[in-house]
Amino acid sequence: MKTLPTLLAVLLLALGSIANAQQTKTVKHAWPFQSINSVGLVIGQQNVAMQVTTINGVQHGNWFGGIGVGVDGYRLRSIPVFAELRKTFHRRFFAYTGAGANWYWKQNADKEQYYYGDKFKPGFFGEAGLGYTVKLRKNLGLLISGGYSFKSLVEEGYDYYFYPYWHPDTGPTTKSQVNYTLHRLEIKMGIAF
Amino acid sequence: MKKICLLARSCAAAALAAMLFTACVKDKITRTYQIRTPIYEVLSTFRKSIKSVPASPVNSIGKIAVAGNYIYVSDIYKGIHVIDNTDPAHPKNVAFINIPGNEDLAISGNTLYADAFGDLVTFDITDPANAVAKNFATNVFPDHSTYYSGGYTNPDSINVVVGWNTRDTTVDYEPVGIFYPIWYDCTNCGIFAAAMNAPASLGAKAASGSLSRFAILNNYMYTVSSNNLTAFDISNHFSPAMKNSFLVDWHVETIYPFKNNLFVGTNSGVYMYDAQVSPSSPALVGQFTHARGCDPVVADGDYAYITLNDSSACLGIYNELQIVDIKNLNNSSLVQSYQLTHPEGLSKDGNTLFLCDGKGGLKVYNAADVKNLQLLKQLNDADVYDVIAQNGLAIVAANDGLYQYDYTNLNDIHLLSKF
């Protein structure tokens, strides 16, 4: 995770360069492509973690719709994949909402896992919030936003029976499930082009 | 006034924001699992259910034994199926002996010995289809049962667990980051932790699989638990008398009788005991140490054949057959090893070695030259784990049933039946 800020900086610079290059293009589309790339913090009950997302889609009037993917480091690192919808109002302000699936991404240092040989099932990811756009250049904006973020995961495992000695068939070994439902606040900053 | 209103609104907005913030950052983690509570029955009542009942389908094949024209198949923790094998091409399921907690069996003459949780039950199988329980040796496998704790031995005053009531429950939970075993609310849970055993006997007409944890030698039956070797005097066939029980090693797995010796397989090696001088207290005469792994063992006059596999329960990493020179039990030595898929039970008939290699199937070798085994046949009909081979008939226990092969002609080993 220490290298993540560096990678993000490189990513944002690269995206900025791409956006800069795109400004030279003059072709206009009714449904122009737009890419929104953000880095942010998710603030939860346990701690504060980083979140990186890239959302790519099309813009139509004040509306934007796209598909997003990211890395969410809160508690159990995961990869959300979601659909995003945004509406701009008063030119600078926007509201956004997104929903999709959330996959666990195993981390060697992950201390949350309950079971040996655990198995995670994908959960839900959702977010909603408000933001403000600072126009840097034509077709290039700096986004600042904040809102609510939600993710869930399901961890499955077995409870082993140790008494008087372990054997999977002798005792009442049972399947067990841990449901993680994590509500957070998020603050994001990114660029859109 | 306007400023006051503005201030009030600001305070209200801040309070609302704080409430929202608090509500939004909650982690809700729940754990759903089953709580099991035991169903008890008085031991004397429980024992009355241990008897022959009409034949029933085999559910989960465990250990196997052969006596005369009958095959006895342990259905793990449930009992023993009696198979009339007069015609190996058409075996008939003729009866089921209900023995809750059963894992192992051994046969001597018309007597069947079987464990029932911590007890040893003796059956008269003069009529195999109608086995009659003749004796219960109480709590002779104490590490498989704790229901006698406290010194109670009267079957009418002991409750045993015969089943479980199960209900799901969901609780708030905070991960602790470590493995956390669950303990159940039952004082007599041990009743369900019976021996991981099967039959091992080389009586005149009876034979057991190499995964057996019971062995009959002369007038004694020997059993192994996870740590101990126990000797029973069975001079009176229907009333075995426990004579001795002593520590062998940790993680004892199998016992195999040959001549007047006992070969005890453990995770870390094979212990060889002489049972001739003092049958009630076999003396350790040799030991062969090998890499950690599950290790059934059989022996002939000069060599012991040990299979090691990487089952997680044994913490092993090897899958191989090791052949050990045992001409001098005090100084056994490795002769040759062979890499295999996942070897388990094995049996030897003359120079022919039958080896269950898990999903690799049953492998039949010419073992005349132990340094150069010749594979005669590989039968990939099933995921196999134990075999009894005698008189041209190989009875093979597999995950999906019982297979029988005719090997009277080693050039034409073929499947006779699947049960």
Side-chain angles (χ1 to χ4, degrees):
Chain A
M1 286 299 278
K2 288 179 180 176
T3 57
L4 198 56
T6 310
L7 289 172
L8 291 173
V10 172
L11 177 67
L12 291 175
L13 283 172
L15 292 171
S17 301
I18 294 168
N20 196 27
Q22 283 193 338
Q23 289 182 48
T24 59
K25 298 178 183 177
T26 56
V27 179
K28 270 199 161 184
H29 298 282
W31 297 79
F33 170 79
Q34 188 174 40
S35 181
I36 300 168
N37 303 280
S38 305
V39 56
L41 299 173
V42 281
I43 304 156
Q45 183 179 340
Q46 189 186 57
N47 58 14
V48 177
M50 289 197 71
Q51 184 196 65
V52 185
T53 57
T54 177
I55 306 165
N56 296 278
V58 294
Q59 194 172 7
H60 184 67
N62 290 327
W63 289 91
F64 166 84
I67 300 296
V69 62
V71 177
D72 187 322
Y74 184 72
R75 289 200 81 140
L76 296 162
R77 186 173 67 178
S78 62
I79 301 176
V81 178
F82 53 97
E84 181 94 348
L85 188 66
R86 291 183 178 225
K87 185 176 189 320
T88 302
F89 51 92
H90 298 308
R91 297 184 63 188
R92 297 276 187 250
F93 295 93
F94 63 88
Y96 65 93
T97 182
N102 186 47
W103 279 272
Y104 175 65
W105 181 8
K106 187 175 176 62
Q107 215 172 353
N108 287 338
D110 208 330
K111 300 299 182 191
E112 297 281 356
Q113 296 168 42
Y114 180 66
Y115 303 104
Y116 289 144
D118 53 1
K119 185 178 174 184
F120 279 86
K121 291 165 69 175
F124 179 76
F125 174 84
E127 63 176 3
L130 298 169
Y132 182 78
T133 304
V134 179
K135 191 170 183 180
L136 300 176
R137 295 177 188 169
K138 187 182 180 186
N139 296 332
L140 180 64
L142 175 67
L143 308 180
I144 301 167
S145 63
Y148 164 78
S149 175
F150 168 89
K151 74 172 183 179
S152 67
L153 282 168
V154 177
E155 182 184 7
E156 288 185 337
Y158 288 89
D159 290 328
Y160 296 104
Y161 178 57
F162 273 91
Y163 182 75
Y165 59 86
W166 179 82
H167 187 271
D169 298 321
T170 53
T173 302
T174 65
K175 200 169 185 176
S176 186
Q177 181 172 295
V178 177
N179 295 291
Y180 296 87
T181 307
L182 310 175
H183 304 270
R184 302 84 51 88
L185 293 176
E186 64 180 11
I187 300 169
K188 295 200 278 192
M189 187 165 69
I191 59 168
F193 55 86
Chain B
M1 190 63 185
K2 283 184 180 178
K3 286 183 179 178
I4 294 172
C5 288
L6 184 61
L7 184 62
R9 285 176 187 169
S10 299
C11 289
L16 182 63
M19 287 172 62
L20 285 172
F21 180 85
T22 305
C24 284
V25 297
K26 187 171 178 58
D27 289 348
K28 177 75 173 172
I29 304 175
T30 60
R31 180 164 163 258
T32 302
Y33 62 98
Q34 292 179 320
I35 289 180
R36 297 185 180 223
T37 50
I39 301 168
Y40 293 104
E41 193 170 80
V42 174
L43 182 57
S44 54
T45 305
F46 169 74
R47 284 177 171 173
K48 288 176 184 171
S49 69
I50 298 177
K51 61 183 180 181
S52 279
V53 295
S56 60
V58 179
N59 182 45
S60 179
I61 291 183
K63 310 292 178 67
I64 55 175
V66 177
N69 289 327
Y70 287 85
I71 305 173
Y72 297 81
V73 180
S74 172
D75 201 327
I76 300 173
Y77 309 121
K78 292 181 177 175
I80 296 171
H81 297 276
V82 182
I83 315 295
D84 182 346
N85 202 40
T86 305
D87 178 5
H90 301 94
K92 295 176 187 171
N93 190 356
V94 295
F96 178 68
I97 310 172
N98 184 51
I99 315 172
N102 172 252
E103 287 187 89
D104 270 278
L105 66 159
I107 298 169
S108 177
N110 62 346
T111 309
L112 165 67
Y113 302 94
D115 59 341
F117 297 121
D119 294 347
L120 175 65
V121 190
T122 306
F123 293 91
D124 181 350
I125 53 169
T126 304
D127 176 6
N130 186 28
V132 178
K134 303 292 283 186
N135 181 271
F136 292 89
T138 301
N139 199 27
V140 292
F141 307 118
D143 55 340
H144 303 150
S145 170
T146 61
Y147 64 91
Y148 295 100
S149 59
Y152 297 104
T153 56
N154 182 355
D156 291 324
S157 62
I158 297 169
N159 285 327
V160 298
V161 178
V162 295
W164 301 88
N165 285 321
T166 303
R167 65 183 170 89
D168 290 337
T169 187
T170 299
V171 296
D172 287 338
Y173 166 71
E174 182 62 25
V176 292
I178 57 171
F179 182 70
Y180 188 76
I182 300 304
W183 295 76
Y184 292 82
D185 176 24
C186 63
T187 53
N188 282 344
C189 291
I191 190 73
F192 257 97
M196 298 157 57
N197 305 347
S201 69
L202 279 184
K205 295 180 181 179
S208 300
S210 61
L211 301 182
S212 180
R213 294 167 72 99
F214 285 12
I216 290 176
L217 190 62
N218 303 321
N219 284 326
Y220 272 79
M221 181 172 77
Y222 301 93
T223 68
V224 289
S225 63
S226 54
N227 307 323
N228 282 17
L229 191 156
T230 304
F232 296 88
D233 183 344
I234 55 170
S235 302
N236 183 345
H237 289 212
F238 293 135
S239 297
M242 191 172 83
K243 292 295 183 181
N244 197 5
S245 184
F246 56 89
L247 179 70
V248 175
D249 193 0
W250 303 107
H251 307 299
V252 177
E253 295 162 352
T254 60
I255 182 168
Y256 184 84
F258 183 75
K259 291 184 178 174
N260 287 310
N261 299 315
L262 298 167
F263 294 79
V264 178
T266 73
N267 268 10
S268 56
V270 176
Y271 292 81
M272 292 160 258
Y273 289 88
D274 182 327
Q276 185 176 24
V277 177
S278 177
S280 62
S281 299
L284 181 66
V285 291
Q287 181 180 351
F288 174 76
T289 304
H290 57 59
R292 182 169 289 275
C294 295
D295 68 335
V297 55
V298 297
D300 61 17
D302 298 326
Y303 301 99
Y305 301 80
I306 306 164
T307 57
L308 304 183
N309 66 56
D310 60 356
S311 293
S312 57
C314 303
L315 305 175
I317 57 172
Y318 298 101
N319 286 296
E320 62 185 34
L321 167 69
Q322 293 188 344
I323 301 178
V324 176
D325 187 334
I326 54 168
K327 295 187 193 78
N328 181 356
L329 293 178
N330 295 315
N331 188 25
S332 56
S333 59
L334 180 66
V335 175
Q336 189 68 274
S337 61
Y338 299 87
Q339 298 303 308
L340 293 162
T341 304
H342 186 79
E344 293 191 69
L346 64 174
S347 184
K348 193 150 184 290
D349 185 6
N351 284 330
T352 308
L353 176 68
F354 297 82
L355 191 150
C356 294
D357 198 15
K359 291 179 180 175
L362 178 68
K363 292 177 178 174
V364 185
Y365 295 93
N366 180 342
D369 179 2
V370 294
K371 290 185 177 179
N372 185 25
L373 295 187
Q374 300 295 316
L375 181 64
L376 299 175
K377 187 89 172 182
Q378 182 170 351
L379 300 146
N380 288 312
D381 296 310
D383 184 347
V384 297
Y385 62 85
D386 204 5
V387 55
I388 298 172
Q390 59 182 10
N391 304 322
L393 182 67
I395 300 170
V396 181
N399 287 346
D400 64 342
L402 206 62
Y403 292 74
Q404 296 194 66
Y405 297 93
D406 182 342
Y407 67 92
T408 49
N409 179 357
L410 290 175
N411 295 317
D412 181 30
I413 302 172
H414 59 275
L415 181 67
L416 284 176
S417 64
K418 182 203 169 188
F419 181 80

